[in-house]
Coordinates of all heavy atoms in Angstrom, one line a residue:
M140 N 8.1 -6.2 -12.3 CA 6.7 -6.2 -12.2 C 6.2 -6.0 -10.8 O 6.7 -6.6 -9.9 CB 6.1 -7.5 -12.8 CG 4.9 -7.5 -13.6 SD 4.1 -9.1 -13.9 CE 4.8 -9.5 -15.4
C141 N 5.2 -5.1 -10.6 CA 4.7 -4.9 -9.2 C 3.8 -6.0 -8.8 O 3.4 -6.9 -9.5 CB 4.0 -3.5 -9.2 SG 2.2 -3.6 -9.5
V142 N 3.6 -6.1 -7.5 CA 2.8 -7.2 -6.9 C 1.5 -7.4 -7.5 O 1.0 -8.5 -7.8 CB 2.8 -7.1 -5.3 CG1 2.1 -5.9 -4.9 CG2 2.1 -8.3 -4.7
F143 N 0.8 -6.3 -7.8 CA -0.6 -6.4 -8.4 C -0.5 -6.8 -9.8 O -1.4 -7.6 -10.3 CB -1.4 -5.1 -8.2 CG -1.8 -4.8 -6.8 CD1 -2.2 -3.6 -6.4 CD2 -1.7 -5.9 -5.8 CE1 -2.6 -3.4 -5.0 CE2 -2.1 -5.6 -4.5 CZ -2.5 -4.4 -4.1
C144 N 0.5 -6.4 -10.6 CA 0.7 -6.9 -11.9 C 1.0 -8.4 -11.9 O 0.5 -9.1 -12.8 CB 1.9 -6.2 -12.6 SG 1.4 -4.5 -13.3
K145 N 1.7 -8.9 -10.9 CA 1.9 -10.3 -10.8 C 0.6 -11.1 -10.4 O 0.4 -12.2 -10.9 CB 3.0 -10.6 -9.7 CG 4.4 -10.2 -10.2 CD 5.4 -10.5 -9.1 CE 6.8 -10.2 -9.6 NZ 7.8 -10.1 -8.5
I146 N -0.2 -10.5 -9.6 CA -1.5 -11.1 -9.3 C -2.4 -11.1 -10.5 O -3.0 -12.2 -10.8 CB -2.2 -10.3 -8.1 CG1 -1.5 -10.6 -6.8 CG2 -3.7 -10.6 -8.1 CD1 -2.0 -9.8 -5.6
I147 N -2.4 -10.0 -11.3 CA -3.2 -10.0 -12.5 C -2.7 -11.1 -13.5 O -3.5 -11.8 -14.2 CB -3.1 -8.6 -13.1 CG1 -4.0 -7.6 -12.3 CG2 -3.6 -8.6 -14.6 CD1 -3.6 -6.2 -12.4
I179 N -8.7 -3.5 -8.7 CA -7.4 -3.2 -9.3 C -7.6 -3.2 -10.8 O -7.9 -4.2 -11.4 CB -6.4 -4.2 -8.9 CG1 -6.4 -4.4 -7.4 CG2 -5.0 -3.9 -9.4 CD1 -5.5 -5.6 -6.9
P180 N -7.2 -2.1 -11.5 CA -7.2 -2.1 -13.0 C -6.1 -3.0 -13.5 O -5.1 -3.1 -12.9 CB -7.0 -0.6 -13.3 CG -6.2 0.0 -12.2 CD -6.7 -0.8 -10.9
K181 N -6.4 -3.6 -14.6 CA -5.4 -4.5 -15.2 C -4.2 -3.8 -15.7 O -3.1 -4.3 -15.7 CB -6.1 -5.4 -16.3 CG -7.0 -6.5 -15.8 CD -7.5 -7.4 -16.8 CE -8.2 -8.6 -16.2 NZ -8.9 -9.4 -17.1
E182 N -4.5 -2.5 -16.2 CA -3.4 -1.7 -16.7 C -2.7 -1.1 -15.4 O -3.3 -0.6 -14.5 CB -3.9 -0.6 -17.6 CG -2.8 0.2 -18.2 CD -3.4 1.3 -19.1 OE1 -4.6 1.3 -19.4 OE2 -2.6 2.2 -19.4
H183 N -1.4 -1.2 -15.4 CA -0.6 -0.6 -14.3 C -0.6 1.0 -14.5 O 0.0 1.5 -15.4 CB 0.8 -1.1 -14.3 CG 1.7 -0.5 -13.2 ND1 2.0 -1.2 -12.1 CD2 2.2 0.8 -13.1 CE1 2.8 -0.4 -11.3 NE2 2.9 0.8 -11.9
F184 N -1.3 1.7 -13.6 CA -1.0 3.1 -13.4 C -0.8 3.4 -12.0 O -1.4 2.8 -11.1 CB -1.9 4.0 -14.2 CG -3.4 3.8 -14.2 CD1 -4.2 4.6 -13.5 CD2 -4.0 2.7 -14.8 CE1 -5.6 4.5 -13.5 CE2 -5.3 2.5 -14.8 CZ -6.1 3.4 -14.1
P185 N 0.1 4.4 -11.7 CA 0.7 4.4 -10.3 C -0.3 4.8 -9.2 O -0.1 4.3 -8.1 CB 1.7 5.5 -10.4 CG 2.0 5.7 -11.9 CD 0.8 5.3 -12.6
V232 N 1.5 -0.1 -2.3 CA 1.7 -0.7 -3.6 C 1.5 0.4 -4.7 O 0.4 0.9 -4.8 CB 0.7 -1.9 -3.8 CG1 0.9 -2.5 -5.2 CG2 0.9 -2.9 -2.7
P233 N 2.5 0.6 -5.6 CA 2.4 1.7 -6.5 C 1.7 1.3 -7.8 O 2.2 1.5 -8.9 CB 3.9 2.0 -6.8 CG 4.6 0.7 -6.7 CD 3.8 0.0 -5.6
H234 N 0.5 0.7 -7.6 CA -0.4 0.3 -8.8 C -1.8 0.7 -8.3 O -2.2 0.1 -7.3 CB -0.2 -1.2 -9.1 CG -1.1 -1.7 -10.2 ND1 -0.6 -2.6 -11.1 CD2 -2.4 -1.6 -10.4 CE1 -1.6 -3.0 -11.9 NE2 -2.7 -2.3 -11.5
L235 N -2.5 1.6 -9.0 CA -3.8 2.1 -8.5 C -4.6 0.9 -8.0 O -4.8 -0.1 -8.7 CB -4.5 2.8 -9.6 CG -6.0 3.1 -9.3 CD1 -6.1 4.1 -8.1 CD2 -6.7 3.7 -10.5
Ligands
ZN534 ZN1 1.4 -3.0 -11.5

Side-chain angles (χ1 to χ4, degrees):
M140 218 192 265
C141 88
V142 61
F143 289 164
C144 281
K145 286 182 180 165
I146 285 175
I147 288 158
I179 309 172
K181 287 186 170 173
E182 184 181 348
H183 178 104
F184 45 112
V232 179
H234 177 139
L235 169 63

